[in-house]
Amino acid sequence: MDGNPIDWRRLFPSAEIIGAPTPTVSGIHYDSRSGVPGCVFVAVPGAMPPRSRDGHDFIGDALDRGAAVIVVQADHRPKWERIAMAGRAAFVAVPDSRRALAEVAAEYYGRPARHLTTVGVTGTDGKTTTIHLIASLLEAAGMPTGYLSSVEFKTTGAPRLNATHMTTAESPEVQSLLSQMAAAGCRTAVIEASSHGLALNRVDCCEFDVAVFTMLSSDHLDFHRSVDEYLAAKGRLFAMLDEAVDKGVPKTAVLNADDFASEYLRSRTRARALTYGLENAADVTASDVRSEGLSSVFTATCEQQRVPVRLPLAGRHNVYNALAAIAVAHALSLPLDAAAGGLSEFRGVPGRMEAVDCGQPFAVVVDIASTPDALRRLLTVLRPQTKGRLIAVFGCAGERDPGRRDGMGRAAGELADFVVLTNEDPRSEDPLAITDDIARGLTETGRREGADFVRVLDRREALAYAFGQARAGDLVLLAGKGSEQSIVVGHEHIPWDERVVARELLAEMGWRAR
């Protein structure tokens, strides 16, 4: 698609501009390898050591590929000044090139968020399911809705898998996808806003109308230096409500009344607050909550109205997610009964408690659970559904918060009958060292290696081992990958779909989907 012209001086009035940047460009790029003639290359400083690189080191490559405008960060002058003076392209020096990346992308794609009602969802766990629940009920109520989640992107037609290995894509991708939604006639966009995405300006210029908070636990401390810094990143979503243009939709902060962090998040915005919860007083609540197999049944209450809800998801945490979605519906003036109807039609999230049934006598469930709290909640839900043994197969991602590892080991040690430790996305870390950390948590619960858990680092072999151990009535949980499409080893993305591999292995055992 052809992009909109960019008025550089209006967009960056305080920038140092060297040369005459063209208003018409062929695209916006932050990876020099994807550059094309006539494009803008935004040099973004590295943010996540040890793997990230400084985009200013690749200005020469971008120029060789035909970049017409180079956006640089002013405080990196030693890396770009001499090149800028050579006159091969126009240079725009800004205080923060990450912020500039979002601004340039939004301008290029015509500020699409201004033509949509935008809902942002943040929190440690529950974001993805809440995104999909919101989209489900809005669509059921006749509001064409697109969404960007860690699992899928839906802009037009059928959703497509998010293969980026990022919960929140970089800002040019976000703005491009929002542009596609607006062009397709969507009225609403629902965006998963991770702490990384917020801290790295990936969702800047999304003009949020509603901000949703699910829950908070300690995570991502490899990137955020403290829990306070982690929470502050999430608070950015709520501050953005006050910065967004007025689209005729009351700006609303949807907050979990049962989570301590909501008080801080409420302080970050002047927007009205809508609360939901099960324990403390809230605007949206649930009563008579009970489980029926892998469904949840409850009565939802909002502003003196009560309506029965049958949610095809199990677990107390999913009741919270559903209440958050109902609060969003209320913020957008949808009737409570319409919201309840949309929840009842929910078809689930790919790779979230997804069953793999090839007729085998034991159950197989695939889920993304990759934090201690998420794994604990999942095992708690699956425990009463399991007649025999509950077998868990999982690992932990390398170059991510190492604090997850022993916590996941403890959760599995307390709630699973047998554990197979394996690779997830080791990246540049030693897979054996990662499993050492998880094993420490298992042994702290009294579990013994060889008797209660084993290590099979090759993930395909780990799944095969677990299936070989399973007997009639057992349940095998494959956790950590969900619907992701690769395993990251070093810098290589090795193709992988947990669900496909599980079916292949079951077929080798003689079980085939009917």
Side-chain angles (χ1 to χ4, degrees), residues 385-469:
Q385 308 298 325
T386 306
K387 296 178 181 178
R389 295 182 305 159
L390 181 52
I391 301 171
V393 183
F394 67 95
C396 265
E399 297 179 8
R400 297 297 184 265
D401 188 355
R404 292 180 179 182
R405 299 171 188 175
D406 61 346
M408 293 187 72
R410 285 192 298 273
E414 292 167 7
L415 293 167
D417 296 302
F418 190 78
V419 174
V420 182
L421 298 181
T422 189
N423 260 340
E424 188 175 311
D425 294 307
R427 297 183 171 87
S428 65
E429 286 199 58
D430 178 1
L432 188 59
I434 294 174
T435 58
D436 282 343
D437 292 339
I438 306 171
R440 184 163 50 251
L442 282 159
T443 57
E444 287 173 1
T445 66
R447 297 308 185 98
R448 293 174 299 132
E449 187 163 4
D452 303 306
F453 70 94
V454 296
R455 309 185 204 205
V456 182
L457 294 183
D458 181 279
R459 195 166 180 106
R460 187 182 186 94
E461 293 178 8
L463 268 61
Y465 182 90
F467 293 166
Q469 295 295 308

Side-chain angles (χ1 to χ4, degrees), residues 21-333:
T22 174
T24 304
V25 297
S26 60
I28 313 299
H29 300 273
Y30 54 89
D31 184 333
S32 64
R33 294 169 297 184
S34 63
V36 295
C39 75
V40 175
F41 173 67
V42 182
V44 176
M48 295 183 64
R51 295 173 62 247
S52 61
R53 299 178 180 179
D54 187 345
H56 294 83
D57 295 330
F58 298 90
I59 293 172
D61 185 43
L63 290 170
D64 290 342
R65 295 172 189 269
V69 182
I70 308 292
V71 178
V72 294
Q73 192 157 298
D75 63 4
H76 283 55
R77 183 175 296 273
K79 290 191 174 185
W80 59 259
E81 186 172 39
R82 183 187 300 177
I83 304 174
M85 295 307 172
R88 293 178 62 189
F91 276 65
V92 179
V94 296
D96 187 330
S97 58
R98 274 205 163 273
R99 289 181 181 272
L101 178 63
E103 289 287 348
V104 174
E107 193 80 358
Y108 179 78
Y109 288 106
R111 305 279 172 179
R114 295 181 178 178
H115 307 287
L116 299 159
T117 297
T118 52
V119 180
V121 180
T122 196
T124 304
D125 293 317
K127 297 187 296 297
T128 302
T129 299
T130 301
I131 289 278
H132 287 253
L133 286 168
I134 293 168
S136 175
L137 67 83
L138 293 181
E139 284 278 3
M143 294 178 63
T145 300
Y147 58 82
L148 309 179
S149 81
S150 61
V151 170
E152 292 178 333
F153 301 144
K154 182 179 184 297
T155 57
T156 61
R160 63 183 187 272
L161 285 174
N162 174 357
T164 66
H165 267 265
M166 293 191 295
T167 300
T168 306
E170 287 285 2
S171 53
E173 286 79 16
V174 169
Q175 295 299 323
S176 174
L177 292 163
L178 292 176
S179 177
Q180 293 171 40
M181 291 181 202
C186 289
R187 291 170 52 190
T188 309
V190 193
I191 303 168
E192 189 165 350
S194 67
S195 60
H196 288 77
L198 289 158
L200 298 176
N201 307 101
R202 294 173 184 167
V203 292
D204 282 15
C205 306
C206 285
E207 311 287 0
F208 289 107
D209 299 290
V210 181
V212 183
F213 168 61
T214 58
M215 55 80 68
L216 188 83
S217 62
S218 178
D219 197 20
H220 297 303
L221 299 188
D222 56 313
F223 177 74
H224 306 286
R225 291 168 292 185
S226 67
V227 173
D228 287 344
E229 187 176 291
Y230 176 49
L231 178 57
K234 296 195 173 297
R236 176 74 182 125
L237 176 64
F238 294 84
M240 290 170 80
L241 291 172
D242 299 350
E243 303 165 4
V245 297
D246 182 3
K247 292 177 260 176
V249 177
K251 304 297 184 187
T252 308
V254 173
L255 299 165
N256 182 345
D258 298 337
D259 194 291
F260 75 95
S262 289
E263 183 177 353
Y264 166 77
L265 297 174
R266 183 186 290 223
S267 74
R268 293 295 305 273
T269 179
R270 298 187 302 273
R272 67 168 177 168
L274 275 179
T275 57
Y276 67 93
L278 294 173
E279 299 171 3
N280 298 319
D283 299 307
V284 180
T285 61
S287 57
D288 306 319
V289 180
R290 67 183 189 277
S291 296
E292 292 188 0
L294 288 178
S295 293
S296 300
V297 178
F298 58 92
T299 299
T301 302
C302 179
E303 287 195 343
Q304 312 304 316
Q305 292 183 295
R306 293 166 60 86
V307 65
V309 176
R310 174 174 288 276
L311 178 70
L313 295 174
R316 184 179 174 89
H317 60 292
N318 279 319
V319 177
Y320 274 100
N321 296 335
L323 293 178
I326 292 172
V328 171
H330 182 63
L332 300 181
S333 302

